Amino acid sequence: MACEPKPDYNASLLPRKESTVTNSRCRYIPLFLVVLIFLPRVSAQAAPPRRVIIDTDPGVDDAMAILLALNSPELQVEALTVVAGNVEQPQGLENALKIVSLAERCDVVVAGGAKHPLNQKLITAQFWHGKNGLAGVELPPSKCKADPRFGPDVIIEMVHAHPHEITLIPVGPLTNIALAVSKDPSIVPLVHDIVIMGGSVSGGNVNGAAEANIYNDPEAAQIVFNAGWTVTMIGSDVGERTLITRKHLSELQASHGTESDFVAKLADFYLTRSEKSGYSGAAMYDPLAVGTVIDPTLVTLKSMHVDVETKGEFTRGETVANRMGSNENNVLHGDHYEIEGVIELKPNARVCLASDADRFLDLFITRIKRK
């Protein structure tokens, strides 16, 4: 029961001492209504952080993505699994260990994974990331130790240990993820979500068709997109409209901290390289994938069926997204085919079409500065 006075609405016009209550009444409020009123607030406050595994090839923007994740209370980073990509795997493993050490997070499992793609030679990207993958910045030796397990095995074991709780965030070639699902397909329905940085629906950043992570292992990407889960695809086309600029760099440089100083050096290198290539800023590819897991409202997604081209002379590595949700059904009639309706396609991906770039960059800078 809740008793409350019925106010005199003219009382607000009187001096405080003269304010009066002209009537009072008791009102019964059912207990279940009280619970419903306060439950959403309690639930929001009690929401546990999301368990994530970041599969990575560190990498300037990988390092930014990892530090964003480590400094976000919405996420509980369980592991970094390292794949060959931007740099060779041993260098990537060293980088990952130094990054978690810098953040004083030796509780995070760091494990080495695949050293080469499934069916082609590795293509590294020191041109974009510097000789050591971290813009030439030499971090202190890591206080953290590598886990001896193989990266894909770590993924399998953690998914089984925490069914329906793990979100995978692959931000490099998809070799480790493909190896994990090929070895143990039973993890697919047990994964809470998979949010990749890779692909594009409007041209590539390696060539006219393919994005770098998919291009570096198309066969692995084909396995991942066809594994039976729904892939959230944060593509290079949207990353290239989500730019860190000199203005953002100035904000980082103005607030000193161990991590923010490191990120500022990465961003300065990345911006310089991007500007020399004609861009007005540097694409926040990998951090946007992490940002999407932190706050899905940062991006606009559309369900589509995505195939990966593995054979084309000019299109190998392209993510071919079907915007219509169907293919024409061509039926042979004598010496020619006729269209007889369409064949519906089941979506296997949620494709990112746009981002709220300003809001994402605000989130990123806020989480990193003074760290």
Side-chain angles (χ1 to χ4, degrees):
M1 181 179 74
C3 295
E4 65 177 20
K6 181 179 180 180
D8 178 355
Y9 291 103
N10 292 319
S12 60
L13 302 177
L14 300 174
R16 178 177 296 231
K17 290 182 179 179
E18 298 177 23
S19 295
T20 61
V21 175
T22 60
N23 191 15
S24 66
R25 61 178 176 171
C26 289
R27 191 169 58 182
Y28 288 88
I29 302 176
L31 180 60
F32 78 90
L33 286 180
V34 177
V35 173
L36 288 176
I37 290 169
F38 290 100
L39 184 59
R41 186 180 303 172
V42 172
S43 297
Q45 292 173 344
R50 181 177 296 189
R51 298 178 187 271
V52 301
I53 297 173
I54 301 175
D55 189 69
T56 176
D57 57 337
V60 167
D61 59 325
D62 300 72
M64 293 178 175
I66 292 166
L67 290 173
L68 173 60
L70 292 175
N71 285 293
S72 293
E74 300 88 349
L75 306 183
Q76 180 175 323
V77 182
E78 299 286 350
L80 305 181
T81 52
V82 179
V83 66
N86 289 324
V87 292
E88 293 178 278
Q89 189 260 40
Q91 179 69 67
L93 181 60
E94 179 183 332
N95 292 350
L97 288 167
K98 287 182 175 180
I99 292 165
V100 294
S101 180
L102 184 75
E104 298 182 347
R105 290 294 307 274
C106 288
D107 58 298
V108 176
V109 171
V110 180
K115 294 185 177 181
H116 52 79
L118 297 182
N119 198 34
Q120 67 180 38
K121 290 188 180 297
L122 175 66
I123 304 166
T124 59
Q126 286 90 345
F127 176 83
W128 293 106
H129 297 271
K131 186 177 180 180
N132 67 348
L134 298 178
V137 178
E138 291 297 338
L139 292 175
S142 178
K143 299 175 185 176
C144 310
K145 302 298 182 184
D147 191 289
R149 291 172 291 175
F150 187 46
D153 290 335
V154 170
I155 293 170
I156 292 168
E157 290 173 24
M158 286 191 171
V159 169
H160 281 293
H162 305 287
H164 311 294
E165 294 183 24
I166 297 286
T167 293
L168 301 177
I169 313 178
V171 293
L174 290 167
T175 319
N176 281 342
I177 310 301
L179 289 171
V181 298
S182 296
K183 181 176 181 178
D184 186 355
S186 74
I187 67 170
V188 171
L190 300 180
V191 168
H192 177 76
D193 200 1
I194 174 169
V195 180
I196 77 165
M197 189 283 121
S200 168
V201 295
S202 60
N205 61 355
V206 169
N207 52 35
E211 178 277 328
N213 285 339
I214 307 300
Y215 186 73
N216 221 339
D217 199 339
E219 283 76 19
Q222 184 181 50
I223 290 169
V224 171
F225 275 94
N226 292 310
W229 48 26
T230 300
V231 175
T232 299
M233 184 179 107
I234 310 300
S236 61
D237 45 351
V238 179
E240 287 156 12
R241 301 195 299 271
T242 309
L243 303 177
I244 191 169
T245 65
R246 291 286 170 186
K247 174 181 174 292
H248 300 114
L249 176 59
S250 296
E251 289 185 58
L252 286 171
Q253 292 173 328
S255 60
H256 294 292
T258 305
E259 295 173 48
S260 59
D261 286 349
F262 170 56
V263 171
K265 291 175 183 177
L266 296 179
D268 190 21
F269 174 92
Y270 195 24
L271 278 163
T272 299
R273 167 51 67 193
S274 298
E275 289 162 353
K276 286 180 179 178
S277 299
Y279 298 101
S280 60
M284 295 292 275
Y285 298 122
D286 297 352
L288 183 59
V290 170
T292 299
V293 180
I294 295 170
D295 181 0
T297 69
L298 289 168
V299 296
T300 301
L301 303 173
K302 182 178 179 179
S303 293
M304 301 186 195
H305 185 87
V306 175
D307 289 306
V308 179
E309 178 59 65
T310 60
K311 295 183 173 64
E313 179 181 357
F314 302 108
T315 57
R316 178 171 162 80
E318 181 178 9
T319 44
V320 183
N322 190 305
R323 296 169 177 82
M324 299 177 296
S326 63
N327 288 332
E328 289 182 347
N329 182 28
N330 299 324
V331 178
L332 185 63
H333 288 265
D335 64 349
H336 70 283
Y337 287 89
E338 291 184 12
I339 301 169
E340 295 187 2
V342 297
I343 301 170
E344 299 295 328
L345 296 175
K346 182 180 178 181
N348 62 349
R350 296 186 303 160
V351 176
C352 183
L353 300 179
S355 71
D356 188 335
D358 290 339
R359 192 155 63 90
F360 167 72
L361 266 301
D362 286 344
L363 171 72
F364 178 78
I365 298 299
T366 300
R367 296 286 168 93
I368 297 297
K369 67 182 181 182
R370 291 189 295 275
K371 293 294 183 181

